[in-house]
Amino acid sequence: MPVFTRLRRPARTTEPARTAEPARTTEPARTTEENPREEGHPPPPPEEETGEPRGEGEEAPGKLALRARCARLRDEHPRAARAARRTLHGLAAALILGALLLPNHAGALRPSRFTRIPAEAIAGAVLMLALPRRPRIVAAALYGAGLAVLTVLNVLDIGFNEYLGRSFNVVLDWGLLDDARHYVEDSMGGATATAAGVGAVLLALLLVAVMALAAVRLGGLLARHRARAARGALIAGTVWITCTALGLQVSGVPVASDRAATALKVQGKRVRDTLRDEAAFERVARTDPFAGTPSDRLLPGLRGRDVLITFIESYGRTALEDPVIAPGVTATLDAGTGSLAEAGFAARSGWLTSSTFGGSSWLGHSTALSGLWIDNQQRYRTATASDRLTLTGAFGKSGAWDTVGVMPGVRKSWPEAEWYGLDTVYDAFGMGYRGPKFSWSTMPDQYALEAFQRLEHGRKRDGGKNLMAEIILTSSHQPWAPVPEMVDWDELGDGSVFGPIRKAGRRPGDIMADTTASRREYGRSVEYSVTALTQWLERYGTDDTVLVFLGDHQPIARVSGVRASRDVPVTIVARDPEVLDKVADWNWTEGLRPDRDAPVWRMDAFRDRFLKAYGSVPHPAED
């Protein structure tokens, strides 16, 4: 038999035979930045020094896969990864520094404002270096979120200063944001208002998230380069202290900045003052020199006369003095003075300093009629909940007048009518108007005045009483596009005649971003309101008619200027010389246009001066 010999095969292995080539690896050589051990850099300190935990257990599979994929991308594109990382660091730093240095006035938004050294950044860096990993992440996230909230408040300050001439009140002004949404809806449509509101909320939430992530990223960067970051913080702190001590400035702006800390301090003071003001104002509102005046001793100098107190929206000193606006408005006032004189009327005019600016018209109305300085919503709520005697209420309390309110801007319940002492109120839906809206204004002033004539002034009154009316004219409300035009009084009908005028007018979007166009259209709207009022008085006024008309506030700062006064014109018109003789000692200017140097009173002084001029006797309420 043949003999078979079993040959032993070499053992198999899964590892190929090694060659002389260097072993290949999927991880490229690390740069100096990524590997601090190269070029003389010391190894990273142990965990107890850096605060970085090690060996915390296995991570979730999804997180491991994502980490592996990111690592593979970094390995495959090291330069792109390094550039992206540095870009993110730069954007995070720019975002944090921008938030720390952001001013709260539009006029201060200049490049020089963002080249300063913020103390809060130095303090934040020191805090990040002092904390271990997890507390550092929490502190950084809170730091970033707090900066985002401060940024939102600064943006609100910019908007409020631009439109209302004052800063945002974190206690009182949140309700005005809803009014702003309604204004956008009336001016530019519901879809635009909804989109703007949702977009603003989402943007604010996104800002909080992004700012927190930016702060966490920068905190991690500082921890990885602890020694260099500590030296940098020390140098920056030294420079900041030196610049502060020497008062160093660049382009008129201090190099050293504590803008964020100052903003927080101002916001805190504003909150504290607001809370204190509520109690103090409530005591003032209860002190009324006319609270106990008997009815027969209220306004005896006006008995037997119909009195109209009319507010013209945004009718301010700017309308009579701005070089772009004034020529048309003053010509209209002078023409009105002449035409009223031909009809037998005379006028006296002065100035009042309004409690509000650019908006919140109800604050101006309530200040003029209550004799209280009502410059915020909390004061308004306190006043309207009190027993304070308003000027309109004094007419009603006397028993000699029926009191009426003509309020074309009121489109929902208005409980304040009782506080104002108004027996009857005609709102936007109660005057029979069937024509188009003119942006925010529900109807042209000419129609509102004609409706007042038809519903109240032109009818015979029962009981022998006269008529007192508070009338709010709204056609000069921003955005001043489209502006109505005067039509024949006999053709007003239900207001449909204004349809073609509305269609041919300018759209709000055409002028809202154009300051010069806004100023011109604002002037046209004031001319229209004054013309409608003076023509109504010429057409329907009698020997017993007394007209008081005034502005409620100046137009927004974009039209009137950031340093404009709060002064508004005020005028009394009557045929009976005795009516004007009673205010002769006021030294007001003859005619509808007050002189530049005519007397200026605070608006809250008007009620008491008016009551006293026409015979009312002060008599405080008995305790």
Side-chain angles (χ1 to χ4, degrees):
M1 294 178 61
V3 179
F4 295 90
T5 303
R6 173 174 287 183
L7 298 179
R8 179 176 295 176
R9 297 183 180 180
R12 290 188 175 184
T13 177
T14 57
E15 181 177 349
R18 297 178 180 270
T19 64
E21 296 179 2
R24 301 175 69 179
T25 176
T26 59
E27 181 176 357
R30 294 188 178 185
T31 63
T32 302
E33 177 184 335
E34 294 171 318
N35 189 357
R37 302 184 187 214
E38 297 183 14
E39 297 189 6
H41 287 271
E47 176 184 350
E48 57 271 15
E49 297 182 16
T50 64
E52 304 293 338
R54 302 179 187 277
E56 295 183 355
E58 296 184 0
E59 299 182 78
K63 189 174 182 180
L64 285 173
L66 179 61
R67 187 184 296 274
R69 185 175 181 183
C70 292
R72 185 166 63 254
L73 289 174
R74 287 196 303 268
D75 294 339
E76 293 175 354
H77 306 284
R79 292 184 178 179
R82 187 164 54 252
R85 189 165 55 252
R86 290 176 176 174
T87 299
L88 287 175
H89 290 335
L91 290 175
L95 188 63
I96 296 296
L97 291 175
L100 289 171
L101 297 172
L102 180 69
N104 66 342
H105 286 269
L109 290 172
R110 302 189 302 270
S112 60
R113 291 280 179 172
F114 297 93
T115 57
R116 310 165 71 193
I117 303 174
E120 301 84 2
I122 301 171
V126 172
L127 179 64
M128 295 301 105
L129 292 172
L131 293 175
R133 180 177 181 272
R134 286 187 175 177
R136 185 190 72 235
I137 292 175
V138 173
L142 292 176
Y143 182 89
L147 273 184
V149 172
L150 182 61
T151 300
V152 171
L153 292 178
N154 282 331
V155 171
L156 288 171
D157 273 353
I158 291 172
F160 270 63
N161 280 305
E162 182 73 8
Y163 282 86
L164 302 181
R166 64 175 178 83
S167 298
F168 178 77
N169 189 308
V170 72
V171 177
L172 303 176
D173 287 339
W174 295 107
L176 296 182
L177 300 181
D178 187 56
D179 291 328
R181 183 186 66 80
H182 285 299
Y183 164 69
V184 174
E185 181 178 351
D186 292 331
S187 302
M188 307 186 71
T192 301
T194 300
V198 172
V201 171
L202 292 179
L203 186 61
L205 295 176
L206 179 63
L207 180 64
V208 171
V210 170
M211 199 78 80
L213 291 174
V216 170
R217 171 174 281 274
L218 292 179
L221 179 65
L222 293 172
R224 289 195 298 273
H225 302 279
R226 189 176 299 273
R228 282 182 287 176
R231 288 195 297 272
L234 178 62
I235 293 170
T238 303
V239 172
W240 191 92
I241 294 173
T242 302
C243 291
T244 301
L246 298 178
L248 295 180
Q249 297 184 353
V250 175
S251 301
V253 178
V255 174
S257 167
D258 58 353
R259 170 77 188 89
T262 300
L264 287 175
K265 182 179 178 180
V266 169
Q267 290 287 352
K269 183 178 183 301
R270 195 176 297 159
V271 170
R272 185 173 62 253
D273 291 347
T274 299
L275 297 178
R276 290 176 178 174
D277 177 74
E278 180 179 353
F281 181 75
E282 187 174 358
R283 291 193 295 271
V284 172
R286 290 198 301 264
T287 306
D288 187 349
F290 290 94
T293 300
S295 59
D296 61 343
R297 306 193 73 178
L298 285 170
L299 298 160
L302 290 174
R303 302 284 171 122
R305 297 177 176 88
D306 294 330
V307 181
L308 282 59
I309 301 176
T310 304
F311 290 91
I312 297 180
E313 171 67 37
S314 301
Y315 178 40
R317 185 184 278 265
T318 294
L320 281 70
E321 296 182 355
D322 182 272
V324 173
I325 304 167
V329 174
T330 55
T332 300
L333 291 170
D334 292 343
T337 299
S339 59
L340 286 174
E342 292 179 2
F345 289 94
R348 299 290 184 273
S349 299
W351 301 102
L352 300 176
T353 300
S354 178
S355 61
T356 185
F357 182 99
S360 301
S361 302
W362 58 92
L363 302 182
H365 304 161
S366 55
T367 295
L369 298 179
S370 71
L372 296 170
W373 188 256
I374 303 175
D375 60 351
N376 61 55
Q377 192 63 19
Q378 180 59 53
R379 286 191 166 206
Y380 180 77
R381 287 193 291 263
T382 301
T384 55
S386 72
D387 295 327
R388 182 79 176 189
L389 181 67
T390 61
L391 182 54
T392 47
F395 281 95
K397 181 180 177 181
S398 72
W401 284 272
D402 290 329
T403 56
V404 172
V406 179
M407 310 287 173
V410 173
R411 284 170 282 177
K412 54 185 178 182
S413 62
W414 193 54
E416 292 93 328
E418 181 178 355
W419 180 69
Y420 278 109
L422 300 176
D423 301 323
T424 305
V425 173
Y426 296 95
D427 60 14
F429 311 107
M431 288 182 269
Y433 184 67
R434 299 294 181 268
K437 285 179 58 180
F438 281 74
S439 192
W440 185 90
S441 180
T442 58
M443 66 188 70
D445 292 344
Q446 185 184 9
Y447 181 89
L449 290 166
E450 178 65 23
F452 166 64
Q453 175 64 25
R454 180 181 73 251
L455 296 168
E456 291 290 345
H457 187 263
R459 71 179 181 85
K460 186 176 181 180
R461 315 207 68 75
D462 299 328
K465 291 185 178 182
N466 286 98
L467 174 67
M468 193 292 306
E470 179 189 356
I471 303 173
I472 311 297
L473 300 181
T474 62
S475 289
S476 50
H477 194 289
Q478 61 174 312
W480 309 299
V483 176
E485 296 178 3
M486 294 295 296
V487 300
D488 190 291
W489 289 86
D490 294 325
E491 296 179 0
L492 282 170
D494 64 359
S496 301
V497 67
F498 290 104
I501 297 174
R502 165 67 179 85
K503 187 175 181 180
R506 302 186 69 173
R507 295 176 299 176
D510 295 338
I511 70 165
M512 291 181 73
D514 188 331
T515 298
T516 301
S518 293
R519 291 162 69 193
R520 287 173 178 160
E521 296 305 300
Y522 161 72
R524 288 187 59 231
S525 71
V526 172
E527 293 169 32
Y528 169 79
S529 294
V530 170
T531 300
L533 185 58
T534 54
Q535 284 193 13
W536 179 91
L537 188 58
E538 292 174 44
R539 183 179 177 89
Y540 298 116
T542 69
D543 292 342
D544 297 327
T545 303
V546 178
L547 170 65
V548 180
F549 73 93
L550 65 157
D552 46 21
H553 56 72
Q554 285 265 54
I556 60 175
R558 183 162 51 86
V559 170
S560 59
V562 293
R563 292 181 177 84
S565 74
R566 293 191 172 201
D567 295 348
V568 299
V570 56
T571 300
I572 299 178
V573 188
R575 269 188 182 153
D576 187 347
E578 184 181 348
V579 173
L580 298 181
D581 289 344
K582 292 182 182 297
V583 297
D585 60 343
W586 291 2
N587 298 317
W588 282 10
T589 307
E590 292 187 7
L592 302 182
R593 175 158 60 109
D595 288 340
R596 183 185 293 267
D597 58 352
V600 181
W601 308 336
R602 281 191 8 155
M603 188 176 274
D604 57 344
F606 180 73
R607 185 204 72 158
D608 289 8
R609 285 179 178 262
F610 189 91
L611 287 172
K612 290 177 181 178
Y614 292 103
S616 302
V617 179
H619 193 296
E622 296 181 1
D623 295 333

